[in-house]
Amino acid sequence: MNTVSTFRYSQTIGFYAQTGRGFNNPVDVALSRDGVLYVINRAGADVAIRMAYKRVTICTLSEEFRGEFSSGGTGDGQLMWPVSAAIGPDDHLYISDEALQGISVFDRQGQFLHKWGVQGQGAGEFDRPASITFDANGHLLVVDGLNHRVQRYTPDGQFLAQWGRRGSGAGELNMPWGIATDAENHVYVADWRNDRIQKFDAQGVFQASWGTPGHGEGELHRPAGVAVDAEGLLYIADWGNERVQVWTPDGEFLTMFYGEAELSSWAKDYFISNPDELEEREKADLEPHVELSLYDDSPADALRETAASIEKRFWGPTAVKLDAEGRIYIVDSCRHRIQIYCKDM
């Protein structure tokens, strides 16, 4: 493995918007092979006024707005508590939904195709399905959060296998959330409540576990997302610590990001059209002096207060995704944006 990889902030996509150009509490992004982004907007509380804000935004890396689809509700093609999105081998978009207890499938233009899933504890049933991904065989892996397991399906919803049970031992899970696979079809699970990452083989046999609870380097507090690149480097959305960590394939800490966001193109356009708000923004202290060491030894409440006060930093990073060019997309949920980093060799 190349151990001299370095990382740099590249750009930010998005800003707060109820509809149209912008995001509203994004929780995940699916990346198509042709460079289109599908951003899942959870949009906060389930009140009537927010139902229109629960949607999927379609855009590109250069912030070309391609449209949006769906809305809040329980009908076909609607979303309530969407969690994760993945593009399948059939080029369709799959979205998991905790409240609807299933998977909805759309074409790339946002046309609803079908859905499947039912609440329960049995094989092929869900209790708060969370992150999803496709493995090398074209099967959909679903983190079944409150059933504390991972399930495997065909793209049309046929149940194939499952593994995991509630606990803190090797191979056991406690409210798992994120999931990813590597080039050898190993499965990595962000074991949220256990503050660790677990690795399984393609059949779900436990391989390794990394991470301990805490706020220091190599420690985790409620990890929400995980991704693995071609070198085997792990990228972890360390949600409770308001950061993203990078680990080597054997689970050794390499580096971390706290966020370096600048205004996106959409945000700049907005402030040009609203100069009064730009004036007030320029008066505000958006970067009060806070030592980064605060992140290493302070409780989670202090971490969140600090992240909330410094605009460029992550605030609620929920997912991390990678594209073929080595870009790292970090969904910065409470800031309503995606921060992008690049890996330099």
Side-chain angles (χ1 to χ4, degrees):
M1 186 195 72
N2 185 345
T3 59
V4 297
S5 298
T6 58
F7 303 89
R8 58 181 172 84
Y9 168 78
S10 174
Q11 69 184 90
T12 294
I13 297 177
F15 79 128
Y16 175 75
Q18 295 171 347
T19 59
R21 295 200 315 166
F23 308 140
N24 197 309
N25 288 126
V27 289
D28 197 18
V29 58
L31 310 174
S32 73
R33 289 182 292 272
D34 57 355
V36 178
L37 282 63
Y38 295 82
V39 182
I40 309 303
N41 298 276
R42 189 151 170 156
D46 299 330
V47 295
I49 195 172
R50 288 184 175 269
M51 290 297 105
Y53 313 157
K54 296 176 181 288
R55 67 195 195 281
V56 180
T57 304
I58 309 174
C59 62
T60 67
L61 182 65
S62 60
E63 289 189 270
E64 177 191 352
F65 178 67
R66 296 280 186 90
E68 59 189 9
F69 64 90
S70 195
S71 63
T74 60
D76 289 350
Q78 293 185 307
L79 307 170
M80 283 300 293
W81 298 349
V83 176
S84 183
I87 295 176
D90 52 10
D91 209 31
H92 294 155
L93 181 71
Y94 292 70
I95 299 175
S96 61
D97 195 305
E98 287 185 288
L100 301 183
Q101 303 288 355
I103 308 295
S104 292
V105 186
F106 302 83
D107 68 18
R108 290 276 304 280
Q109 289 70 49
Q111 180 67 38
F112 172 76
L113 299 175
H114 60 94
K115 63 183 179 183
W116 43 270
V118 62
Q119 186 175 16
Q121 289 73 49
E125 298 175 336
F126 296 126
D127 194 354
R128 299 285 184 88
S131 293
I132 59 177
T133 192
F134 281 91
D135 66 17
N137 299 317
H139 296 144
L140 184 68
L141 300 175
V142 183
V143 174
D144 190 10
L146 292 189
N147 281 326
H148 315 286
R149 64 189 178 187
V150 175
Q151 298 195 60
R152 179 183 289 115
Y153 292 85
T154 63
D156 61 358
Q158 179 183 345
F159 171 78
L160 297 174
Q162 66 181 31
W163 70 84
R165 63 180 182 181
R166 185 172 188 172
S168 57
E172 296 178 331
L173 302 165
N174 193 343
M175 296 177 67
W177 190 265
I179 192 167
T181 59
D182 65 16
E184 297 179 349
N185 221 19
H186 294 123
V187 180
Y188 299 77
V189 178
D191 192 1
W192 193 82
R193 193 79 179 182
N194 282 325
D195 298 313
R196 65 186 179 182
I197 302 297
Q198 293 204 69
K199 178 182 179 181
F200 301 86
D201 70 12
Q203 287 71 47
V205 177
F206 172 79
Q207 302 292 299
S209 177
W210 306 298
T212 56
H215 310 294
E217 292 182 353
E219 296 177 332
L220 299 170
H221 186 63
R222 305 299 188 252
V226 61
V228 187
D229 71 12
E231 286 186 283
L233 295 180
L234 277 70
Y235 302 82
I236 303 163
D238 190 7
W239 177 83
N241 283 324
E242 309 291 1
R243 64 191 180 189
V244 168
Q245 295 197 54
V246 185
W247 292 359
T248 65
D250 56 0
E252 293 295 323
F253 171 80
L254 183 60
T255 189
M256 66 176 72
F257 316 139
Y258 291 102
E260 302 174 64
E262 299 173 350
L263 286 178
S264 69
S265 295
W266 291 349
K268 290 176 182 176
D269 289 346
Y270 174 83
F271 286 121
I272 289 171
S273 302
N274 296 271
D276 292 344
E277 291 191 38
L278 178 59
E279 182 179 354
E280 292 302 315
R281 174 186 171 83
E282 291 173 344
K283 293 177 183 176
D285 184 5
L286 300 175
E287 193 173 344
H289 178 71
V290 178
E291 295 292 339
L292 279 178
S293 60
L294 175 66
Y295 279 83
D296 296 332
D297 54 17
S298 295
D301 287 347
L303 298 177
R304 291 193 175 279
E305 182 177 350
T306 303
S309 68
I310 301 177
E311 189 186 46
K312 70 180 182 181
R313 292 193 186 166
F314 299 126
W315 187 14
T318 53
V320 56
K321 295 292 181 68
L322 310 174
D323 70 14
E325 284 70 45
R327 286 180 286 257
I328 305 152
Y329 297 72
I330 300 162
V331 180
D332 195 1
S333 183
C334 295
R335 297 283 192 206
H336 315 287
R337 65 193 179 192
I338 297 172
Q339 294 197 47
I340 301 173
Y341 284 72
C342 292
K343 182 173 72 170
D344 297 322
M345 309 301 290

